[in-house]
Amino acid sequence: MADEPLVLGIETSCDETGVGIVRGTTLLADAVASSVNDHARFGGVVPEIASRAHLEAMVPTIQRALDTAGIKASDLDGIAVTAGPGLAGALLVGVSAAKAFAWALDKPLYGVNHLASHICVDQLEHGRLPEPTMALLVSGGHSSLLLSSDITSDVRPLGATIDDAAGEAFDKVARVLGLGFPGGPVVDRMAREGDGKAIAFPRGLSAASDPAYDFSFSGLKTAVARWVEARRRAGEEVPVADVAASFQEAVTDVLTRKAVRACKDNGVDHLMIGGGVAANSRLREMAQQRCDKAGIVLRVPRPGLCTDNGAMVAALGAEMVWRDRTPSAFDLSADSSLPVTETHVPHTHVHAHAQQALS
């Protein structure tokens, strides 16, 4: 439809400089500049390196997105940007760029929530989200169960990780096994050659008395490291493929079991999985099996839309415009701990934790 909002989205919460352009729920461009290789030798993301990479990549990535979409910047109906959560310095680069473009073009500005964007991106592939939708978001920084009745204004957290996120655990286990960084893709590939039942690694927070929707992967990560160290001390070969497969099985078992339980308990018949770990092949397979058995419709975007990207920010921005949500003020700032309940930032806000810090 010609009257659907045309929005550019900027994502810089971590090490990906993402710029997406969306018309309504149609993806026109998804340009990404990654600095992952700059971080690989450190075994993880270095915030200062990420911020500098965003500065260098911002203008050319925006231009590449405009060229791909075949539009001029003046054609846009709005500019959306990740305001949080994420790395503070990295977020500031994106927010500053978005404010500059919005001001120069005289377009409305929308500072949106990174996690809500990960949910909304599914609209670009499978159409508008049912209301309500249960979302399982799993990445390097987050493992969360969220109930969304309105992606622009009502996202309620049901559970989250109490220590390591799933993606972080993948990175640490990959490091223990000498597989490099980032860990998620390489562990997934290695696990396909192994036996997921070879080693009985623990399932965190799975007892009946444990919180139903919270996650814990620190104990699992430690169990893998100790198992590997014990084999090496004994001079025995480490079956890397079996360790990778067994670890991956433990993670995906907990994630999918709790997600399906949350759907059943809350009477929700649609489950959306997003975030970088949603690209994991075993997670997708197990989720599909369990959702089919429970009569739940599973929605998972293609892997390229699961990792951080500008398309997801543009998707949520377009939804904000379409639903006539209040734009952000130009004093918008980045918030590294922006709660998911704040799907967008329409005005100057100082959170309770910030007020306490100032008092």
Coordinates of all heavy atoms in Angstrom, one line a residue, residues 252-314:
T252 N 18.9 -25.8 24.5 CA 17.7 -25.8 23.8 C 16.6 -26.5 24.5 O 15.4 -26.1 24.3 CB 17.9 -26.4 22.4 OG1 18.5 -27.7 22.5 CG2 18.9 -25.5 21.6
D253 N 16.9 -27.5 25.2 CA 15.9 -28.2 26.0 C 15.2 -27.3 27.0 O 14.0 -27.2 27.1 CB 16.5 -29.4 26.7 CG 15.5 -30.2 27.6 OD1 14.3 -30.2 27.2 OD2 15.9 -30.9 28.5
V254 N 16.0 -26.6 27.8 CA 15.5 -25.6 28.8 C 14.7 -24.5 28.1 O 13.6 -24.2 28.5 CB 16.6 -25.1 29.7 CG1 16.1 -24.0 30.6 CG2 17.2 -26.2 30.5
L255 N 15.3 -23.9 27.1 CA 14.6 -22.8 26.4 C 13.2 -23.1 25.9 O 12.2 -22.4 26.1 CB 15.5 -22.2 25.3 CG 16.8 -21.5 25.7 CD1 17.6 -21.2 24.5 CD2 16.5 -20.2 26.4
T256 N 13.2 -24.2 25.1 CA 11.9 -24.6 24.5 C 10.9 -25.1 25.5 O 9.7 -24.8 25.4 CB 12.1 -25.7 23.4 OG1 12.8 -26.8 24.0 CG2 13.0 -25.1 22.3
R257 N 11.4 -25.9 26.5 CA 10.4 -26.4 27.5 C 9.7 -25.2 28.3 O 8.5 -25.2 28.5 CB 11.2 -27.3 28.5 CG 10.3 -28.1 29.4 CD 11.1 -29.0 30.3 NE 12.0 -29.9 29.6 CZ 11.6 -31.0 29.1 NH1 10.3 -31.4 29.2 NH2 12.4 -31.8 28.5
K258 N 10.5 -24.2 28.7 CA 9.9 -23.1 29.4 C 9.1 -22.2 28.5 O 8.1 -21.7 29.0 CB 11.1 -22.3 30.1 CG 11.8 -23.1 31.2 CD 12.5 -22.2 32.1 CE 13.0 -23.0 33.3 NZ 13.2 -22.2 34.6
A259 N 9.5 -22.1 27.3 CA 8.7 -21.2 26.4 C 7.3 -21.9 26.1 O 6.3 -21.2 26.1 CB 9.4 -21.1 25.0
V260 N 7.3 -23.2 25.9 CA 6.0 -23.8 25.6 C 5.1 -23.8 26.9 O 3.9 -23.6 26.8 CB 6.2 -25.3 25.2 CG1 4.9 -26.1 25.2 CG2 6.8 -25.3 23.8
R261 N 5.8 -24.0 28.1 CA 5.0 -23.9 29.3 C 4.4 -22.5 29.5 O 3.3 -22.4 29.9 CB 6.0 -24.2 30.5 CG 5.3 -24.1 31.9 CD 6.2 -24.5 33.0 NE 5.5 -24.3 34.3 CZ 6.1 -24.6 35.5 NH1 7.3 -25.1 35.5 NH2 5.4 -24.4 36.6
A262 N 5.2 -21.5 29.2 CA 4.6 -20.1 29.3 C 3.4 -19.9 28.4 O 2.5 -19.2 28.8 CB 5.7 -19.1 29.0
C263 N 3.5 -20.4 27.2 CA 2.4 -20.3 26.3 C 1.1 -21.0 26.9 O 0.0 -20.4 26.9 CB 2.7 -20.9 24.9 SG 3.8 -20.0 23.9
K264 N 1.3 -22.2 27.4 CA 0.2 -23.0 27.9 C -0.4 -22.3 29.2 O -1.6 -22.1 29.3 CB 0.6 -24.4 28.3 CG 0.9 -25.3 27.1 CD 1.4 -26.7 27.6 CE 1.6 -27.7 26.5 NZ 2.1 -29.0 27.0
D265 N 0.5 -21.8 30.0 CA 0.0 -21.2 31.3 C -0.7 -19.9 31.1 O -1.6 -19.5 31.8 CB 1.2 -20.9 32.2 CG 1.8 -22.2 32.8 OD1 1.2 -23.3 32.6 OD2 2.9 -22.1 33.4
N266 N -0.4 -19.2 30.0 CA -1.0 -17.9 29.7 C -2.0 -17.9 28.6 O -2.5 -16.9 28.2 CB 0.1 -16.9 29.4 CG 1.0 -16.5 30.6 OD1 0.6 -15.7 31.4 ND2 2.1 -17.2 30.8
G267 N -2.4 -19.1 28.1 CA -3.4 -19.3 27.1 C -3.0 -18.6 25.8 O -3.9 -18.1 25.1
V268 N -1.7 -18.6 25.4 CA -1.3 -18.0 24.2 C -0.9 -19.1 23.2 O -0.2 -20.1 23.5 CB 0.0 -17.2 24.4 CG1 0.5 -16.6 23.1 CG2 -0.3 -16.1 25.4
D269 N -1.4 -19.0 21.9 CA -1.2 -20.1 21.0 C -0.2 -19.7 19.9 O -0.1 -20.4 18.8 CB -2.6 -20.5 20.3 CG -3.3 -19.3 19.6 OD1 -2.7 -18.2 19.5 OD2 -4.4 -19.6 19.1
H270 N 0.6 -18.6 20.0 CA 1.6 -18.3 19.1 C 2.9 -18.0 19.9 O 2.9 -17.3 20.9 CB 1.3 -17.0 18.3 CG 0.3 -17.3 17.2 ND1 -1.1 -17.5 17.4 CD2 0.5 -17.3 15.8 CE1 -1.6 -17.6 16.2 NE2 -0.7 -17.6 15.3
L271 N 4.0 -18.6 19.4 CA 5.3 -18.4 20.0 C 6.2 -17.9 19.0 O 6.4 -18.5 17.9 CB 5.9 -19.7 20.6 CG 7.3 -19.7 21.1 CD1 7.5 -18.7 22.3 CD2 7.8 -21.1 21.4
M272 N 6.9 -16.7 19.3 CA 7.9 -16.2 18.4 C 9.2 -16.3 19.0 O 9.4 -16.0 20.2 CB 7.5 -14.7 18.1 CG 8.5 -14.0 17.2 SD 9.9 -13.2 18.1 CE 11.0 -12.8 16.7
I273 N 10.2 -16.7 18.3 CA 11.6 -16.8 18.8 C 12.5 -15.9 18.1 O 12.5 -15.9 16.8 CB 12.2 -18.3 18.7 CG1 11.2 -19.2 19.5 CG2 13.6 -18.3 19.3 CD1 11.7 -20.7 19.4
G274 N 13.2 -15.0 18.8 CA 14.1 -14.0 18.1 C 15.4 -13.9 18.9 O 15.6 -14.5 19.9
G275 N 16.3 -13.0 18.4 CA 17.6 -12.9 18.9 C 18.6 -13.8 18.2 O 18.2 -14.7 17.5
G276 N 19.9 -13.5 18.4 CA 20.9 -14.2 17.6 C 20.9 -15.7 17.8 O 21.1 -16.4 16.8
V277 N 20.6 -16.2 19.0 CA 20.6 -17.6 19.2 C 19.4 -18.3 18.5 O 19.4 -19.5 18.3 CB 20.6 -18.0 20.7 CG1 20.6 -19.5 21.0 CG2 21.8 -17.3 21.4
A278 N 18.4 -17.5 18.1 CA 17.3 -18.1 17.3 C 17.7 -18.6 16.0 O 17.0 -19.4 15.3 CB 16.2 -17.0 17.1
A279 N 18.9 -18.3 15.5 CA 19.5 -18.8 14.3 C 20.0 -20.3 14.5 O 20.2 -21.0 13.5 CB 20.6 -18.0 13.8
N280 N 20.1 -20.7 15.7 CA 20.6 -22.1 16.0 C 19.6 -23.1 15.5 O 18.4 -23.1 15.7 CB 20.7 -22.3 17.6 CG 21.2 -23.6 17.9 OD1 20.5 -24.6 18.1 ND2 22.6 -23.7 18.1
S281 N 20.2 -24.1 14.7 CA 19.4 -25.1 14.0 C 18.7 -26.0 15.0 O 17.5 -26.4 14.7 CB 20.2 -25.9 13.0 OG 21.3 -26.6 13.7
R282 N 19.3 -26.4 16.0 CA 18.7 -27.4 17.0 C 17.6 -26.7 17.8 O 16.5 -27.3 18.1 CB 19.8 -27.9 17.9 CG 19.2 -28.9 19.0 CD 18.5 -30.1 18.3 NE 18.0 -31.1 19.3 CZ 17.0 -31.9 19.1 NH1 16.3 -31.8 17.9 NH2 16.6 -32.7 20.0
L283 N 17.8 -25.4 18.1 CA 16.7 -24.7 18.8 C 15.5 -24.6 17.9 O 14.3 -24.8 18.4 CB 17.2 -23.3 19.2 CG 16.1 -22.3 19.8 CD1 15.6 -22.9 21.1 CD2 16.7 -20.9 20.0
R284 N 15.6 -24.3 16.7 CA 14.5 -24.2 15.8 C 13.8 -25.6 15.6 O 12.6 -25.7 15.6 CB 15.0 -23.8 14.4 CG 15.3 -22.3 14.3 CD 16.1 -21.9 13.0 NE 16.2 -20.5 13.0 CZ 15.6 -19.7 12.2 NH1 14.6 -20.2 11.4 NH2 15.8 -18.4 12.2
E285 N 14.6 -26.6 15.5 CA 14.0 -28.0 15.3 C 13.3 -28.4 16.6 O 12.1 -28.9 16.5 CB 15.2 -29.0 15.1 CG 14.7 -30.4 14.9 CD 15.9 -31.3 14.7 OE1 17.0 -31.1 15.4 OE2 15.8 -32.3 13.9
M286 N 13.9 -28.3 17.8 CA 13.2 -28.7 19.0 C 12.0 -27.8 19.3 O 10.9 -28.4 19.7 CB 14.2 -28.6 20.2 CG 13.6 -29.3 21.4 SD 14.8 -29.1 22.8 CE 16.1 -30.2 22.3
A287 N 12.0 -26.5 19.0 CA 10.9 -25.7 19.2 C 9.7 -26.1 18.3 O 8.6 -26.1 18.8 CB 11.3 -24.2 19.0
Q288 N 10.0 -26.4 17.1 CA 9.0 -26.8 16.2 C 8.3 -28.1 16.6 O 7.1 -28.2 16.6 CB 9.5 -27.0 14.8 CG 8.5 -27.2 13.7 CD 7.6 -25.9 13.5 OE1 8.1 -24.9 13.1 NE2 6.4 -26.0 13.8
Q289 N 9.1 -29.1 17.1 CA 8.6 -30.3 17.5 C 7.7 -30.1 18.7 O 6.5 -30.7 18.8 CB 9.7 -31.3 17.9 CG 10.6 -31.7 16.7 CD 11.8 -32.5 17.1 OE1 12.2 -32.5 18.3 NE2 12.5 -33.1 16.1
R290 N 8.1 -29.3 19.7 CA 7.3 -29.2 20.9 C 6.1 -28.3 20.7 O 5.0 -28.5 21.3 CB 8.2 -28.6 22.0 CG 9.2 -29.6 22.5 CD 10.1 -29.2 23.6 NE 10.8 -30.3 24.3 CZ 11.7 -30.2 25.1 NH1 12.2 -29.0 25.5 NH2 12.3 -31.3 25.6
C291 N 6.2 -27.3 19.8 CA 5.0 -26.5 19.5 C 4.0 -27.3 18.7 O 2.8 -27.1 19.0 CB 5.5 -25.3 18.7 SG 6.2 -23.9 19.6
D292 N 4.4 -28.1 17.8 CA 3.5 -28.9 17.1 C 2.7 -29.9 18.0 O 1.5 -30.0 17.9 CB 4.2 -29.8 16.0 CG 4.7 -29.0 14.8 OD1 4.3 -27.8 14.7 OD2 5.6 -29.5 14.1
K293 N 3.4 -30.4 19.0 CA 2.8 -31.3 19.9 C 1.8 -30.6 20.8 O 0.8 -31.2 21.2 CB 3.9 -32.0 20.8 CG 3.4 -33.0 21.7 CD 4.5 -33.7 22.5 CE 4.0 -34.8 23.5 NZ 5.1 -35.5 24.2
A294 N 2.1 -29.3 21.1 CA 1.3 -28.6 22.1 C 0.2 -27.8 21.3 O -0.6 -27.1 22.0 CB 2.1 -27.6 22.9
G295 N 0.2 -27.8 20.0 CA -0.8 -27.1 19.2 C -0.5 -25.6 19.2 O -1.4 -24.7 19.2
I296 N 0.7 -25.2 19.3 CA 1.2 -23.8 19.3 C 1.8 -23.5 17.9 O 2.6 -24.3 17.3 CB 2.2 -23.6 20.4 CG1 1.6 -23.8 21.7 CG2 2.8 -22.1 20.3 CD1 2.6 -23.9 22.9
V297 N 1.4 -22.3 17.4 CA 2.0 -21.9 16.1 C 3.4 -21.2 16.4 O 3.5 -20.3 17.2 CB 1.1 -20.9 15.4 CG1 1.7 -20.4 14.1 CG2 -0.3 -21.5 15.1
L298 N 4.4 -21.7 15.7 CA 5.8 -21.2 15.9 C 6.1 -20.2 14.8 O 5.9 -20.5 13.6 CB 6.8 -22.3 15.9 CG 8.2 -21.9 16.1 CD1 8.5 -21.3 17.5 CD2 9.2 -23.1 15.9
R299 N 6.6 -19.1 15.2 CA 7.1 -18.1 14.2 C 8.6 -17.7 14.5 O 8.9 -17.3 15.6 CB 6.3 -16.8 14.3 CG 4.8 -17.0 13.9 CD 4.0 -15.8 14.3 NE 4.4 -14.5 13.7 CZ 3.7 -13.7 13.0 NH1 2.5 -14.1 12.6 NH2 4.2 -12.5 12.5
V300 N 9.4 -18.0 13.6 CA 10.9 -17.7 13.7 C 11.3 -17.0 12.4 O 11.2 -17.6 11.4 CB 11.7 -19.0 14.0 CG1 13.1 -18.6 14.4 CG2 11.1 -19.8 15.1
P301 N 11.9 -15.8 12.5 CA 12.4 -15.2 11.3 C 13.6 -15.9 10.8 O 14.2 -16.7 11.5 CB 12.8 -13.8 11.8 CG 12.2 -13.6 13.1 CD 12.0 -15.0 13.7
R302 N 13.9 -15.7 9.5 CA 15.1 -16.3 8.9 C 16.3 -15.9 9.7 O 16.3 -14.8 10.3 CB 15.2 -16.0 7.4 CG 15.4 -14.5 7.1 CD 15.5 -14.3 5.6 NE 15.7 -12.9 5.2 CZ 14.7 -12.0 5.0 NH1 13.5 -12.4 5.2 NH2 15.0 -10.8 4.7
P303 N 17.4 -16.7 9.7 CA 18.6 -16.4 10.5 C 19.1 -14.9 10.4 O 19.5 -14.3 11.4 CB 19.6 -17.4 10.1 CG 18.7 -18.6 9.7 CD 17.5 -18.0 9.0
G304 N 19.1 -14.4 9.2 CA 19.6 -13.0 9.0 C 18.9 -12.0 9.7 O 19.4 -10.9 10.0
L305 N 17.6 -12.2 10.0 CA 16.8 -11.3 10.8 C 16.8 -11.5 12.3 O 16.2 -10.8 13.0 CB 15.3 -11.3 10.2 CG 15.1 -10.7 8.8 CD1 13.7 -10.8 8.4 CD2 15.7 -9.3 8.7
C306 N 17.4 -12.6 12.7 CA 17.5 -12.9 14.1 C 18.6 -12.2 14.8 O 18.5 -11.8 15.9 CB 17.7 -14.4 14.3 SG 16.2 -15.4 13.9
T307 N 19.7 -12.1 14.1 CA 20.8 -11.3 14.7 C 20.5 -9.8 14.6 O 19.6 -9.4 14.0 CB 22.1 -11.6 13.9 OG1 21.9 -11.4 12.5 CG2 22.6 -13.1 14.1
D308 N 21.3 -9.0 15.3 CA 21.1 -7.6 15.4 C 21.1 -7.0 14.0 O 22.0 -7.2 13.2 CB 22.1 -6.9 16.3 CG 21.9 -7.2 17.7 OD1 20.9 -7.9 18.1 OD2 22.9 -6.9 18.5
N309 N 20.1 -6.2 13.6 CA 20.0 -5.6 12.3 C 19.1 -4.3 12.3 O 18.3 -4.1 13.3 CB 19.5 -6.6 11.3 CG 18.1 -7.1 11.7 OD1 17.1 -6.4 11.5 ND2 18.0 -8.2 12.3
G310 N 19.3 -3.5 11.4 CA 18.5 -2.2 11.3 C 17.1 -2.5 10.9 O 16.2 -1.7 11.2
A311 N 16.8 -3.6 10.2 CA 15.5 -3.9 9.7 C 14.5 -4.1 10.9 O 13.3 -3.6 10.8 CB 15.5 -5.2 8.9
M312 N 15.0 -4.7 12.0 CA 14.0 -4.9 13.1 C 13.7 -3.5 13.7 O 12.5 -3.3 14.2 CB 14.7 -5.8 14.1 CG 15.9 -5.2 14.9 SD 16.7 -6.5 15.9 CE 17.5 -5.5 17.1
V313 N 14.6 -2.6 13.7 CA 14.3 -1.3 14.3 C 13.4 -0.5 13.4 O 12.4 0.2 13.8 CB 15.7 -0.5 14.5 CG1 15.4 0.9 15.0 CG2 16.6 -1.3 15.4
A314 N 13.6 -0.6 12.1 CA 12.7 0.0 11.1 C 11.3 -0.6 11.2 O 10.3 0.1 11.1 CB 13.3 -0.1 9.7

